[in-house]
Amino acid sequence: MECQDYGLSRTGERENLNLNPLQRGGFLTEDARKALYEFSDGYSVCDYCAGRLDEIKKPGISNFLDDLANFIGVDHARTVHGAREGKFAVMHALCQPDDTIIIDGNAHYTTYLAAERNHLNMVEVSSNDYPEYRITPENFKETLDAQFDHGEDISLILLTHVDGDYGNLTDARAIGKIARHYGVPLLLNCAYSMGRLPVDARSLKADFVVGSGHKSMAASGPIGVLGLKDEWAEVVLKRSETHGVKEIEMLGCTSRGAPIATLMASLPYVIDRVEKWDDEVQKTRDFVEKMEKIGGIKQLGVKPKDHDLVRLETPVFDEIAEKHPRRGFFLYEDLKKRNIVGIKRGQTKWFKCSTYGFNQEQTDYIARSFAEIVEKYS
Ligand SMILES: *Cc1c(COP(=O)(O)O)cnc(C)c1O
């Protein structure tokens, strides 16, 4: 049979300035692109495997996992297929069906799905209201107290380090201290932080951390990182009864080819780039200031920004859309003419964007472009 055309080209998204926060931290390094080619065949990292993926010496996966564990401040690191698989594995190892876990109100949908797949009950810690949607240690403490007052056990606390809706950076350390005080393990979801900003599980008092290679660690993916303290190794890295060397929650082996090779190739670069995080934050704050000078644009989430993911309320674009012959599509199309992509087609009321990794000139150009589009129609 003849296959259809699958449209496997992405030059438009790659060659323009892509503002989609999802895309900013997953750009491959030159070395990662080489590794991607080198390890493009199936099972390509398994040539010299003696039964354990994490112990492979060539390519140096075991050395890589040691470096990774040091980088994120944990005793053991494993790769998984994404942050979600890491969360699922921890929940599956620690909890029984019908157990209750505490999650924050800004949790990613994959937290809910991982918990559902494990048949867990979730209790949400609510954020404060519009426009901040802040998650506070006080609210965490209140929710925990209420649970314990009802005599309910809690198997796990899952905190989103930086959420994907508002880009709010939570006070993980304070919440980690509370978790420790109550003796409940804490899993910190660092999909939007690990690889962008310094994450040290030890100082944040997290028992587990998960990260996302394709989101924030310059890897092709799908690949995630799971880090844990030694005291949990027996539970989470438990071996099979039938195949003694294999770890059950990893289903034996996780990433078996190109995705892990790209993460390995990018690690030295990622270790360096988190040191420049303060510059990224400053650039983001300046960008927000410029955007808010455009009438009616308002940043949602905690101010000033502590992360590159910015959510903007943009009624001014919505008003233009009402009269524009192309309706809501005008914004996407006007941006595209200026080689800017990554805002969803048709979306004008609000959008999320990020300038992570762009230089100052590019960032200024982006802010200026939005201002010019508003001017053009006023
Ligand atoms: C993107 C994202 C995820 C999912 O990451 P995967 O690696 O694709 O599983 C989970 N949590 C948050 C907060 C995210 O932003």
Side-chain angles (χ1 to χ4, degrees), residues 82-84 87 108 110 160 162 164 189 191-192 212 214-215:
R84 68 195 73 192
K87 291 185 282 189
H108 195 250
T110 55
T160 315
V162 174
N189 175 8
Y192 253 122
S212 178
H214 40 280
K215 180 170 278 158

PDB file of all heavy atoms in Angstrom, residues 82-84 87 108 110 160 162 164 189 191-192 212 214-215, ligand 1:
ATOM      1  N   GLY A  82       9.489  10.568  30.624  1.00  0.00           N
ATOM      2  CA  GLY A  82       9.018  11.945  30.771  1.00  0.00           C
ATOM      3  C   GLY A  82       8.756  12.192  32.243  1.00  0.00           C
ATOM      4  O   GLY A  82       8.795  11.253  33.059  1.00  0.00           O
ATOM      5  N   ALA A  83       8.468  13.440  32.583  1.00  0.00           N
ATOM      6  CA  ALA A  83       8.153  13.767  33.972  1.00  0.00           C
ATOM      7  C   ALA A  83       6.958  12.942  34.444  1.00  0.00           C
ATOM      8  O   ALA A  83       6.915  12.471  35.582  1.00  0.00           O
ATOM      9  CB  ALA A  83       7.862  15.265  34.098  1.00  0.00           C
ATOM     10  N   ARG A  84       5.995  12.759  33.555  1.00  0.00           N
ATOM     11  CA  ARG A  84       4.771  12.044  33.957  1.00  0.00           C
ATOM     12  C   ARG A  84       5.061  10.604  34.347  1.00  0.00           C
ATOM     13  O   ARG A  84       4.507  10.084  35.309  1.00  0.00           O
ATOM     14  CB  ARG A  84       3.717  12.129  32.842  1.00  0.00           C
ATOM     15  CG  ARG A  84       4.062  11.366  31.576  1.00  0.00           C
ATOM     16  CD  ARG A  84       3.180  11.774  30.415  1.00  0.00           C
ATOM     17  NE  ARG A  84       3.528  13.097  29.911  1.00  0.00           N
ATOM     18  CZ  ARG A  84       2.789  13.806  29.067  1.00  0.00           C
ATOM     19  NH1 ARG A  84       1.654  13.301  28.609  1.00  0.00           N
ATOM     20  NH2 ARG A  84       3.183  14.986  28.662  1.00  0.00           N
ATOM     21  N   LYS A  87       6.486  10.554  37.795  1.00  0.00           N
ATOM     22  CA  LYS A  87       5.465  10.717  38.830  1.00  0.00           C
ATOM     23  C   LYS A  87       4.682   9.419  39.005  1.00  0.00           C
ATOM     24  O   LYS A  87       4.420   8.985  40.133  1.00  0.00           O
ATOM     25  CB  LYS A  87       4.502  11.853  38.447  1.00  0.00           C
ATOM     26  CG  LYS A  87       5.150  13.223  38.488  1.00  0.00           C
ATOM     27  CD  LYS A  87       4.138  14.347  38.234  1.00  0.00           C
ATOM     28  CE  LYS A  87       3.781  14.492  36.762  1.00  0.00           C
ATOM     29  NZ  LYS A  87       2.990  15.699  36.502  1.00  0.00           N
ATOM     30  N   HIS A 108      -0.102  19.989  37.028  1.00  0.00           N
ATOM     31  CA  HIS A 108      -0.231  19.669  35.611  1.00  0.00           C
ATOM     32  C   HIS A 108      -1.222  18.521  35.419  1.00  0.00           C
ATOM     33  O   HIS A 108      -1.361  17.670  36.300  1.00  0.00           O
ATOM     34  CB  HIS A 108       1.155  19.244  35.094  1.00  0.00           C
ATOM     35  CG  HIS A 108       1.281  19.211  33.609  1.00  0.00           C
ATOM     36  ND1 HIS A 108       1.392  18.026  32.903  1.00  0.00           N
ATOM     37  CD2 HIS A 108       1.331  20.197  32.697  1.00  0.00           C
ATOM     38  CE1 HIS A 108       1.530  18.299  31.619  1.00  0.00           C
ATOM     39  NE2 HIS A 108       1.488  19.609  31.455  1.00  0.00           N
ATOM     40  N   THR A 110      -0.920  15.885  33.929  1.00  0.00           N
ATOM     41  CA  THR A 110      -0.285  14.571  34.015  1.00  0.00           C
ATOM     42  C   THR A 110      -0.170  14.092  35.470  1.00  0.00           C
ATOM     43  O   THR A 110      -0.082  12.892  35.712  1.00  0.00           O
ATOM     44  CB  THR A 110       1.110  14.591  33.366  1.00  0.00           C
ATOM     45  OG1 THR A 110       1.906  15.624  33.969  1.00  0.00           O
ATOM     46  CG2 THR A 110       1.008  14.843  31.876  1.00  0.00           C
ATOM     47  N   THR A 160       4.115  21.051  42.412  1.00  0.00           N
ATOM     48  CA  THR A 160       4.613  21.521  41.126  1.00  0.00           C
ATOM     49  C   THR A 160       5.609  22.650  41.396  1.00  0.00           C
ATOM     50  O   THR A 160       5.225  23.678  41.957  1.00  0.00           O
ATOM     51  CB  THR A 160       3.450  22.053  40.263  1.00  0.00           C
ATOM     52  OG1 THR A 160       2.361  21.123  40.338  1.00  0.00           O
ATOM     53  CG2 THR A 160       3.873  22.212  38.815  1.00  0.00           C
ATOM     54  N   VAL A 162       7.385  24.629  39.280  1.00  0.00           N
ATOM     55  CA  VAL A 162       6.938  25.762  38.453  1.00  0.00           C
ATOM     56  C   VAL A 162       5.790  25.235  37.594  1.00  0.00           C
ATOM     57  O   VAL A 162       5.957  24.235  36.894  1.00  0.00           O
ATOM     58  CB  VAL A 162       8.064  26.272  37.536  1.00  0.00           C
ATOM     59  CG1 VAL A 162       7.538  27.349  36.587  1.00  0.00           C
ATOM     60  CG2 VAL A 162       9.230  26.811  38.356  1.00  0.00           C
ATOM     61  N   GLY A 164       2.764  25.152  34.672  1.00  0.00           N
ATOM     62  CA  GLY A 164       2.719  25.464  33.247  1.00  0.00           C
ATOM     63  C   GLY A 164       1.621  26.439  32.848  1.00  0.00           C
ATOM     64  O   GLY A 164       1.496  26.780  31.664  1.00  0.00           O
ATOM     65  N   ASN A 189       7.722  18.230  41.263  1.00  0.00           N
ATOM     66  CA  ASN A 189       7.640  18.131  39.810  1.00  0.00           C
ATOM     67  C   ASN A 189       8.400  19.306  39.179  1.00  0.00           C
ATOM     68  O   ASN A 189       7.921  20.429  39.169  1.00  0.00           O
ATOM     69  CB  ASN A 189       6.165  18.144  39.387  1.00  0.00           C
ATOM     70  CG  ASN A 189       6.011  18.164  37.878  1.00  0.00           C
ATOM     71  OD1 ASN A 189       6.991  18.027  37.138  1.00  0.00           O
ATOM     72  ND2 ASN A 189       4.781  18.347  37.416  1.00  0.00           N
ATOM     73  N   ALA A 191       9.373  19.717  35.964  1.00  0.00           N
ATOM     74  CA  ALA A 191       9.347  19.686  34.492  1.00  0.00           C
ATOM     75  C   ALA A 191       9.738  21.040  33.898  1.00  0.00           C
ATOM     76  O   ALA A 191      10.424  21.105  32.879  1.00  0.00           O
ATOM     77  CB  ALA A 191       7.964  19.267  34.005  1.00  0.00           C
ATOM     78  N   TYR A 192       9.299  22.122  34.554  1.00  0.00           N
ATOM     79  CA  TYR A 192       9.595  23.461  34.031  1.00  0.00           C
ATOM     80  C   TYR A 192      10.790  24.124  34.714  1.00  0.00           C
ATOM     81  O   TYR A 192      11.087  25.285  34.454  1.00  0.00           O
ATOM     82  CB  TYR A 192       8.361  24.379  34.144  1.00  0.00           C
ATOM     83  CG  TYR A 192       7.700  24.643  32.806  1.00  0.00           C
ATOM     84  CD1 TYR A 192       6.367  24.314  32.588  1.00  0.00           C
ATOM     85  CD2 TYR A 192       8.422  25.215  31.756  1.00  0.00           C
ATOM     86  CE1 TYR A 192       5.762  24.541  31.354  1.00  0.00           C
ATOM     87  CE2 TYR A 192       7.830  25.441  30.532  1.00  0.00           C
ATOM     88  CZ  TYR A 192       6.499  25.100  30.339  1.00  0.00           C
ATOM     89  OH  TYR A 192       5.909  25.330  29.122  1.00  0.00           O
ATOM     90  N   SER A 212      11.910  16.950  32.982  1.00  0.00           N
ATOM     91  CA  SER A 212      11.508  16.619  31.612  1.00  0.00           C
ATOM     92  C   SER A 212      12.620  17.030  30.641  1.00  0.00           C
ATOM     93  O   SER A 212      12.895  18.218  30.482  1.00  0.00           O
ATOM     94  CB  SER A 212      10.208  17.354  31.267  1.00  0.00           C
ATOM     95  OG  SER A 212       9.849  17.081  29.930  1.00  0.00           O
ATOM     96  N   HIS A 214      12.757  16.777  27.311  1.00  0.00           N
ATOM     97  CA  HIS A 214      12.293  17.476  26.107  1.00  0.00           C
ATOM     98  C   HIS A 214      11.725  18.848  26.438  1.00  0.00           C
ATOM     99  O   HIS A 214      11.597  19.691  25.568  1.00  0.00           O
ATOM    100  CB  HIS A 214      11.284  16.638  25.309  1.00  0.00           C
ATOM    101  CG  HIS A 214      10.313  15.891  26.175  1.00  0.00           C
ATOM    102  ND1 HIS A 214      10.643  14.714  26.794  1.00  0.00           N
ATOM    103  CD2 HIS A 214       9.044  16.154  26.542  1.00  0.00           C
ATOM    104  CE1 HIS A 214       9.603  14.279  27.488  1.00  0.00           C
ATOM    105  NE2 HIS A 214       8.628  15.145  27.370  1.00  0.00           N
ATOM    106  N   LYS A 215      11.340  19.080  27.677  1.00  0.00           N
ATOM    107  CA  LYS A 215      10.830  20.413  28.007  1.00  0.00           C
ATOM    108  C   LYS A 215      11.929  21.378  28.441  1.00  0.00           C
ATOM    109  O   LYS A 215      11.928  22.532  28.020  1.00  0.00           O
ATOM    110  CB  LYS A 215       9.754  20.343  29.085  1.00  0.00           C
ATOM    111  CG  LYS A 215       9.218  21.734  29.424  1.00  0.00           C
ATOM    112  CD  LYS A 215       8.016  21.722  30.297  1.00  0.00           C
ATOM    113  CE  LYS A 215       6.728  21.483  29.514  1.00  0.00           C
ATOM    114  NZ  LYS A 215       5.681  20.978  30.384  1.00  0.00           N
TER     115      LYS A 215
HETATM  116  C1  LIG B   1       5.217  19.695  30.585  1.00  0.00           C
HETATM  117  C2  LIG B   1       4.893  19.358  31.982  1.00  0.00           C
HETATM  118  C3  LIG B   1       4.777  18.020  32.380  1.00  0.00           C
HETATM  119  C4  LIG B   1       4.881  16.873  31.422  1.00  0.00           C
HETATM  120  O1  LIG B   1       6.204  16.567  31.135  1.00  0.00           O
HETATM  121  P1  LIG B   1       6.541  15.264  30.284  1.00  0.00           P
HETATM  122  O2  LIG B   1       8.017  15.137  30.401  1.00  0.00           O
HETATM  123  O3  LIG B   1       6.088  15.507  28.887  1.00  0.00           O
HETATM  124  O4  LIG B   1       5.803  14.125  30.928  1.00  0.00           O
HETATM  125  C5  LIG B   1       4.533  17.770  33.708  1.00  0.00           C
HETATM  126  N1  LIG B   1       4.399  18.752  34.601  1.00  0.00           N
HETATM  127  C6  LIG B   1       4.512  20.045  34.256  1.00  0.00           C
HETATM  128  C7  LIG B   1       4.372  21.108  35.298  1.00  0.00           C
HETATM  129  C8  LIG B   1       4.743  20.390  32.939  1.00  0.00           C
HETATM  130  O5  LIG B   1       4.812  21.676  32.607  1.00  0.00           O
END
